[in-house]
Amino acid sequence: MINRFSCAALVVLSLTGCASDPAPTEQLRLSEQALAQAKAVGADEQVAELAMAEAKLLQAQAAMQRDAFKDARVLAEQAELDARLAEARVLTQKSQDQLDELNNRINRLRKQLGTL
Amino acid sequence: MSARVQMLASALLALLLSGCAGSQQQSSNEALEAARSSFQAVRENSDVLRSAPKDVIRAGESLARADRLSSYWGSTDDVSHYAYLSLRYSEIAEQNSVLSLNQDRAAKLELDRQRLQLALREAKLLSVQEQSNWLEEQILSLTAGETERGLVMTLGDVLFDAGQAELKASANRTVLKLVQFLQLNPRRVVRIEGYSDSRGDKLENLKLSRARAQTVADVLVDLGVDTARIEVQGHGESFPVAENASARGRAQNRRVEIVFSDELGRLSSAR
C-alpha cells in the first residue's frame, strides 16, 4: 500500500516537476538587455549566435506565457550567452578589420618611403 | 486489482524516467565533453585568463554543475544546459581575449603608422630641399657667377632664330629649369635683358633685343611665373661682351641675360 502511494507520488512529482520554479523575470530582462547590446554594436542576422539568441528569447517569452518557468529560464539563459557571444564576435571582427586597415596604411607608407 | 494498478504505475514511472534516455544520455555526454575540452583550452591560455578572468570562472562553475548533475538520474537536460552555458562562457572568454590582443596590437601599429607618416613627411620635405639645392646648383652653373649685378644667366644666340625673336625648342630645358627655380624660390625676382650686336640699324637692334627679352618673359609667364616678378629691358648694341669684328664675337653679343635678385627679392639696379 505504502509502495503504491509512493509510486503515485513519484509520478505526480515527475509530471509537475518544474512548476515549482519561480518566474525567471530577471533573467529575461538580462537576456533582452544582452540582445539589445549585441545589436547596438552592429550584430545582425548574419551572426549565427544572434539569430539563435533571438529565436530562444522568443521561445522563452512564449514559455513564460504558459507558465513553463523552467523552460523559460533555460532558454533565456542560453539566449543571453548566445547574444553575448554574438557581441564579442562582432567586436573582435571589427578590431580585426581595424588591424587590417592599419597594416594597409603602414604598407602604403613604407612603399612611399621606399620610392623617395 | 491493486496489484494491477501498482504494476501499471511502475510501468508508467519507468517509461517516464527512461524515456528516450539512451540518445539523450549520449548527447548530454557529448555536450559535457565539448564543454570540458573548451574550458581546458581557455584555462591553459594565459592571454584569456588575463583578459577575461570572469568568463573563465563562470565557464568552470557551469562545467562543475553539469559534471555534478551528470551523476544524477534523469537530469540529462540540465547537464546539456549547463554544458552549453559553460561552452558559451569559454567561447566568449576566448573572443574577448582575441579582442584585447587585437586592441593592444592596434595601439602599437597606430604608433608605427604615426612614426612612418612623420618620417615620410620629413623625407618629402628633404627631397624638396634637395631638389631646390640641386636646381640652384644647376642655375648657378648656367650663370656667369656672382657679379656686381648679382647672379646673371646668359641665354645665347643659338637659342633664337637669326633675326627673329622666337625661342627655339632647344631653349625649353633651360627655361623649364628657370621656372622651377623661381617656383622653389618664391621671393626671388628677375630682370630679363636683351642685347644685340652692332650690325645693322641701331633702333632695329634695340627693338629686336627687347623683343627677345620679352619672348623669354612671356614663356616664363605662360609657365606660371607671376608677371610682377619679371622686369624686361632691351639694351640693343650697348654693353657688348665681345668685339663685334668677328662672327664669333658678334654671336656672343647677341644674347639675353637673366639677372636674379637675391633671396629677399632685392634686384641690382638696372643699367
Side-chain angles (χ1 to χ4, degrees), chain A residues 42-106:
Chain A
D44 56 22
E45 302 296 325
Q46 307 285 74
V47 186
E49 286 83 6
L50 188 92
M52 294 169 81
E54 277 190 317
K56 283 177 190 168
L57 188 63
L58 278 178
Q59 286 176 34
Q61 282 158 349
M64 280 290 268
Q65 293 294 312
R66 48 169 214 275
D67 291 346
F69 293 144
K70 187 187 171 184
D71 285 354
R73 179 179 56 78
V74 164
L75 286 161
E77 280 176 2
Q78 294 193 4
E80 182 198 349
L81 292 199
D82 288 347
R84 280 193 54 202
L85 182 56
E87 181 194 352
R89 279 203 202 287
V90 168
L91 291 177
T92 303
Q93 185 56 51
K94 278 186 182 169
S95 72
Q96 188 58 53
D97 293 346
Q98 192 196 357
L99 275 188
D100 293 347
E101 176 58 25
L102 270 172
N103 275 320
N104 276 340
R105 286 185 180 188
I106 285 172

Side-chain angles (χ1 to χ4, degrees), chain B residues 32-92:
Chain B
L32 195 56
E33 232 8 85
R36 194 171 286 139
S37 66
S38 279
F39 177 63
Q40 191 72 20
V42 293
R43 198 181 51 179
E44 283 167 5
N45 187 328
S46 60
D47 289 329
V48 178
L49 278 182
R50 199 186 55 240
S51 56
K54 278 185 190 164
D55 289 319
V56 176
I57 288 169
R58 287 191 189 123
E61 285 169 355
S62 301
L63 182 65
R65 208 157 171 181
D67 254 336
R68 222 169 31 241
L69 286 164
S70 70
S71 59
Y72 299 151
W73 242 67
S75 55
T76 52
D77 282 351
D78 287 336
V79 173
S80 295
H81 176 58
Y82 288 107
Y84 186 89
L85 295 188
S86 172
L87 183 64
R88 279 299 191 232
Y89 276 123
S90 294
E91 287 174 308
I92 291 168

